[in-house]
Each structure stands twice: as structure tokens, then as C-alpha cells.
Amino acid sequence: MTEHARTCEQHFHRRGQPQQRVIGRYSAARDGQPDAGATVVFIGGVHGNEPAGIQAAERVLGTLEREQPTGFHGRVIALRGNLAAINHANR
């Protein structure tokens, strides 16, 4: 197994669990209206051996949760694309 494949496998099988479709969600209401604003959908892991998109989505969601930006109104939904490939760390 190559070093890249080992890294992918470690990332995708955290704690030995297969990955699920939803990475996470974030929403911020405007003027008390939870549906105000746009919805942005991130899809990472379209190629199962490329973890960068999933890692980026996790970082964006973490930053939004931590910083709670006042200028953001809407929803972010982050999804994993090709679950079969992700769970086997291959294309």
C-alpha cells in the first residue's frame, strides 16, 4: 500500500467506522428568519482516494461554528460524494 493510500485509509476510517454521507451542517438566521439567505452545498470525496475536499469542508464548518460570522445568513451543507470509493480509499 502506498503512503498516499495509507493516509486516505486512516482519514476515511476514523475509529474504524465507515463514513456517512453528511459531513455536517451550519445555518445562521437573519432577523429571526431561519430560511433567510442562500444554501451552499459542498461535496467532497467524489474520488474516494482524494480526501482534500472532505478535509476542506470539515475545516469550513469548524470555522463557521467557532467564529459565528455576523455577515453570514443562510445554510451550508457538506456531503461526502462517492461513499463506496471513500470507504475503500480508491477511485
Side-chain angles (χ1 to χ4, degrees):
M1 178 181 289
T2 68
E3 183 62 30
H4 177 71
R6 201 171 5 268
T7 300
C8 291
E9 190 170 270
Q10 289 168 355
H11 176 76
F12 293 132
H13 287 91
R14 290 181 185 158
R15 296 178 300 277
Q17 299 296 313
Q19 297 296 291
Q20 301 298 312
R21 177 77 63 201
V22 177
I23 296 169
R25 302 169 191 263
Y26 177 82
S27 65
R30 178 174 38 198
D31 301 325
Q33 300 297 316
D35 294 330
T39 298
V40 177
V41 178
F42 296 124
I43 301 174
V46 173
H47 297 141
N49 63 341
E50 298 174 3
I54 294 171
Q55 293 166 341
E58 290 170 339
R59 288 180 65 189
V60 168
L61 289 168
T63 299
L64 289 169
E65 288 292 335
R66 234 182 0 269
E67 297 184 8
Q68 303 274 315
T70 58
F72 180 88
H73 306 289
R75 289 164 300 287
V76 173
I77 302 168
L79 305 172
R80 289 178 181 84
N82 187 345
L83 290 179
I86 290 168
N87 286 323
H88 291 96
N90 66 36
R91 273 182 98 108

